[in-house]
Structures are given as structure tokens and as C-alpha cells.
């Protein structure tokens, strides 16, 4: 059963490119597209996708607002925020709203595909450019200052290795109704 994806972005050319990229994966199926947040939320309710790929900045409701709404109405749908904003505050807000991932638009195609698979497997995906900010928030001791005064402990190295290890590729499974 393919991973069913809803794309929401206010730029038509970007939606078309995302659709072509995602539909080229044998285990992905784009089931709908929206140009604004309200349409994205409505289509998600109708289509019940496994993944909602949401632009952060859309007319009407933004990606974070749609994420909050979907967390309430469709908790089984994973949301992946797609944005140009490499902003720690927006990342925190998206995660608090219930987003399963946050990826920047400058990411390469394989990163987007990996992010979708990771969130479907139950992992949180954060684009590497923002991982440091998230780790700093979760556990400041894991992220050394720019000029470290002492090396990482063996435990800190072990935790970083666990965070960085490869994520197995697992398909989303829709719950039986």
C-alpha cells in the first residue's frame, strides 16, 4: 500500500515539481494538492492522507495552523513542514503544534524522500541545518558551545551517535477501521 501524500503550497510550479518527484517513488502516491491552508485542511479531512506536506507560509491558514488542526481531527496523519525559513522559533512552534518534521526548501530531493519515510516510521525529522537548535533546546549539554572548553563525554558521544544513526525505511500503515 503506497504512502498517500497531500501537498499544500501556494506556488503552483513548486506543487507540480513536488508531485512529479513524489509520484516517481514506487511507494508514494500524491492524492491531493492545495494552494492555501483552508483547502489543505478540507482536503485532508476528505482524503485522509498518511502525510500532509505543508508549506509554512500560505494564504489564510499557515502550515503551523493547519498542523494544529490536523493533530486534532486526523492524529494519524503525519505533517511535514516545508519552508524557506531556517528559523529556530518557527521550528519550535511547528514541533509544538504537532508537526512530525521540518524541512527546508533548499533540501535535495533525496532528503525530502527520506524525511517522508522517516516520519511515516514514527520518527521526528528535522533538516540538518536546524538539528543543532533542536538539540540545544532538548538538552543543552549535548550541544557544545562554538568554542568548546572540554571534549564531549563518552555518554554525550553515544547519544549523538544514536541520534545520527540511519533510520530504517518503513511504509506507513493505515489503521484498520
Amino acid at each position: 500500500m503506497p504512502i498517500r501524500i497531500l501537498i499544500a503550497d501556494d506556488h503552483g510550479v513548486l506543487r507540480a515539481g513536488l508531485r512529479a518527484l513524489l509520484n516517481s517513488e514506487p511507494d508514494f502516491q500524491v492524492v491531493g494538492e492545495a494552494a492555501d491552508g483552508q483547502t489543505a485542511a478540507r482536503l485532508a479531512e476528505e482524503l485522509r492522507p498518511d502525510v500532509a506536506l505543508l508549506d509554512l507560509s500560505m494564504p489564510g491558514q499557515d502550515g503551523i495552523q493547519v498542523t494544529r488542526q490536523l493533530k486534532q481531527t486526523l492524529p494519524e496523519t503525519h505533517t511535514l513542514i516545508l519552508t524557506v525559513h531556517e528559523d529556530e522559533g518557527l521550528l519550535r512552534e511547528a514541533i509544538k503544534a504537532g508537526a512530525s518534521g521540518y524541512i527546508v526548501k533548499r533540501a535535495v530531493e533525496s532528503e525530502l524522500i527520506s524525511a517522508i519515510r522517516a516520519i511515516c516510521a514514527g520518527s521526528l525529522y528535522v533538516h540538518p541545518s536546524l538539528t543543532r537548535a533542536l538539540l540545544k533546546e532538548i538538552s543543552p549539554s549535548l550541544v557544545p558551545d562554538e568554542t568548546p572548553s572540554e571534549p564531549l563525554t563518552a555518554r554525550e558521544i553515544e547519544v549523538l551517535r544514536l541520534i545520527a544513526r540511519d533510520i530504517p525505511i518503513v511504509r506507513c500503515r493505515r489503521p484498520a477501521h
Side-chain angles (χ1 to χ4, degrees):
M1 192 154 115
I3 296 172
R4 302 174 73 247
I5 304 167
L6 170 67
I7 299 170
D9 194 291
D10 56 330
H11 295 97
V13 171
L14 182 61
R15 282 195 316 275
L18 289 169
R19 179 181 354 100
L21 170 68
L22 298 176
N23 279 334
S24 72
E25 290 296 306
D27 57 333
F28 288 2
Q29 177 187 15
V30 174
V31 294
E33 296 178 32
D36 61 72
Q38 288 88 346
T39 304
R42 181 181 52 76
L43 283 175
E45 297 268 340
E46 289 174 19
L47 301 171
R48 300 193 173 289
D50 299 308
V51 174
L53 181 58
L54 305 173
D55 183 15
L56 183 64
S57 304
M58 291 185 287
Q61 290 180 298
D62 65 28
I64 292 174
Q65 292 168 320
V66 175
T67 295
R68 274 193 202 100
Q69 183 177 343
L70 294 182
K71 262 317 195 201
Q72 294 294 315
T73 60
L74 297 169
E76 69 279 2
T77 295
H78 303 280
T79 57
L80 178 59
I81 299 294
L82 179 65
T83 182
V84 296
H85 304 287
E86 295 186 47
D87 180 280
E88 296 171 18
L90 291 172
L91 167 63
R92 281 192 294 277
E93 192 177 345
I95 299 301
K96 286 178 185 174
S100 300
Y102 192 97
I103 190 165
V104 296
K105 288 183 178 179
R106 69 177 176 82
V108 297
E109 295 89 347
S110 61
E111 287 176 301
L112 177 60
I113 290 164
S114 294
I116 291 171
R117 289 191 174 121
I119 67 172
C120 284
S123 297
L124 173 68
Y125 181 90
V126 176
H127 190 265
S129 69
L130 291 163
T131 303
R132 181 182 182 85
L134 187 61
L135 286 175
K136 194 177 227 179
E137 175 135 338
I138 293 170
S139 181
S141 67
L142 287 177
V143 181
D145 294 332
E146 293 301 318
T147 54
S149 57
E150 58 188 71
L152 294 176
T153 66
R155 178 66 178 149
E156 290 169 333
I157 292 170
E158 178 186 3
V159 169
L160 285 174
R161 282 189 180 129
L162 289 171
I163 291 170
R165 72 179 179 200
D166 290 338
I167 300 168
I169 298 173
V170 179
R171 287 188 183 167
C172 288
R173 300 276 185 227
R174 295 187 65 84
H177 295 270

